[in-house]
Amino acid sequence: MDYNEIIKNQEILEYYDKGNQILEYLGYTDHSPVHTKLVAKRAAEILEVFGYSEHEIELAKIVGFMHDIGNCINRKHHAEYGALLANEILKETDLSIEDRVQIVSAIANHDESTGVPSDPITAAVIIADKTDVRRSRVREKDPVLYDIHDRVNYAVTKTKMEYDLKERKIILNLRVDERICTMFDYFDIFLDRMTMCSKAARIFDAKFSLVVNDQRVL
């Protein structure tokens, strides 16, 4: 089974439909396949930039797409639940045991509350996931009802990932409307995620940097 088959798998898509419904009720931003396809693409890009194999890139794309399926069970420990669901799905495929274990482990370790970036595939997915900050993740509702997560995402009008191989840097470059969200608000929500990105970048012998409105803040 490859990435193109994974993104069409009906069981996975049903898990996402239910999980995204639950998260909408809880007030979370979008966690649909729109998010997970972006994570898959960005994780693949990171591995490609740092010279990893096509096979590793393919596995990262699969992890990126599947990483949030555990939300259909519960948001708390969704990474661990997602890993268990993924294992059951992937047992029925032609993936090798080694590849299945890699995918399951990466899914289980992508969340900043309990995870650890112990290998390139996991690290790439962590960075890709934690850097998906954008206005279009905010669900349609009255702006009066926006919580801090909504405001932070809505304030981001442009997101760009950049790579400096000479300086060994992975750079998240944001354009933020500070009339909507202050930098204090941003770090109140994202400090743990940015810290995890910094740890993940070390797997590539690199540093993670955050630039907001042309000013380096991390």
Side-chain angles (χ1 to χ4, degrees):
M1 178 173 277
D2 61 15
Y3 174 71
N4 289 327
E5 294 174 289
I6 288 288
I7 63 175
K8 298 174 184 176
N9 183 284
Q10 194 58 42
E11 185 174 0
I12 296 171
L13 295 176
E14 288 293 335
Y15 285 144
Y16 274 128
D17 281 347
K18 188 61 179 177
N20 207 28
Q21 176 188 343
I22 292 169
L23 293 188
E24 181 175 16
Y25 180 82
L26 292 172
Y28 281 81
T29 53
D30 176 67
H31 283 71
S32 72
V34 174
H35 163 64
T36 59
K37 285 180 180 179
L38 186 150
V39 172
K41 180 180 178 181
R42 188 168 289 172
E45 178 183 85
I46 292 167
L47 291 184
E48 184 177 3
V49 165
F50 286 98
Y52 287 84
S53 69
E54 287 296 324
H55 182 66
E56 290 166 300
I57 290 170
E58 179 72 9
L59 292 182
K61 288 166 67 177
I62 292 172
V63 175
F65 186 73
M66 297 185 73
H67 78 278
D68 268 345
I69 60 174
N71 282 318
C72 72
I73 297 178
N74 200 291
R75 177 61 184 176
K76 190 174 183 179
H77 298 299
H78 75 282
E80 294 91 328
Y81 289 131
L84 294 173
L85 289 174
N87 190 52
E88 292 303 308
I89 294 169
L90 298 177
K91 275 182 180 179
E92 307 301 319
T93 72
D94 58 357
L95 286 170
S96 69
I97 294 174
E98 292 80 9
D99 286 349
R100 175 158 53 89
V101 169
Q102 171 65 79
I103 292 167
V104 168
S105 177
I107 292 172
N109 281 283
H110 83 269
D111 189 68
E112 65 272 13
S113 61
T114 56
V116 57
S118 61
D119 60 76
I121 291 171
T122 305
V125 170
I126 286 169
I127 295 170
D129 180 38
K130 307 313 169 194
T131 56
D132 183 17
V133 189
R134 53 189 161 83
R135 175 167 288 188
S136 56
R137 288 198 75 177
V138 179
R139 300 177 191 269
E140 291 187 13
K141 57 185 174 182
D142 188 336
V144 173
L145 301 177
Y146 284 177
D147 65 8
I148 190 170
H149 295 85
D150 294 320
R151 292 199 308 275
V152 168
N153 279 276
Y154 193 77
V156 177
T157 58
K158 186 177 180 180
T159 304
K160 185 178 181 182
M161 290 294 293
E162 299 175 324
Y163 309 93
D164 184 337
L165 289 179
K166 183 178 180 180
E167 297 292 330
R168 304 296 292 185
K169 288 183 179 179
I170 300 170
I171 305 159
L172 174 61
N173 201 320
L174 301 178
R175 182 65 57 184
V176 175
D177 186 340
E178 295 189 62
R179 296 170 300 177
I180 300 171
C181 158
T182 67
M183 290 311 301
F184 179 84
D185 287 337
Y186 183 91
F187 278 105
D188 188 35
I189 295 298
F190 285 102
L191 181 58
D192 288 345
R193 301 177 197 183
M194 297 298 97
T195 300
M196 196 178 194
C197 285
S198 294
K199 292 178 181 178
R202 293 174 199 156
I203 295 291
F204 305 107
D205 190 29
K207 293 182 179 180
F208 178 79
S209 180
L210 174 64
V211 175
V212 178
N213 297 340
D214 301 320
Q215 298 293 319
R216 182 183 172 185
V217 295
L218 181 68

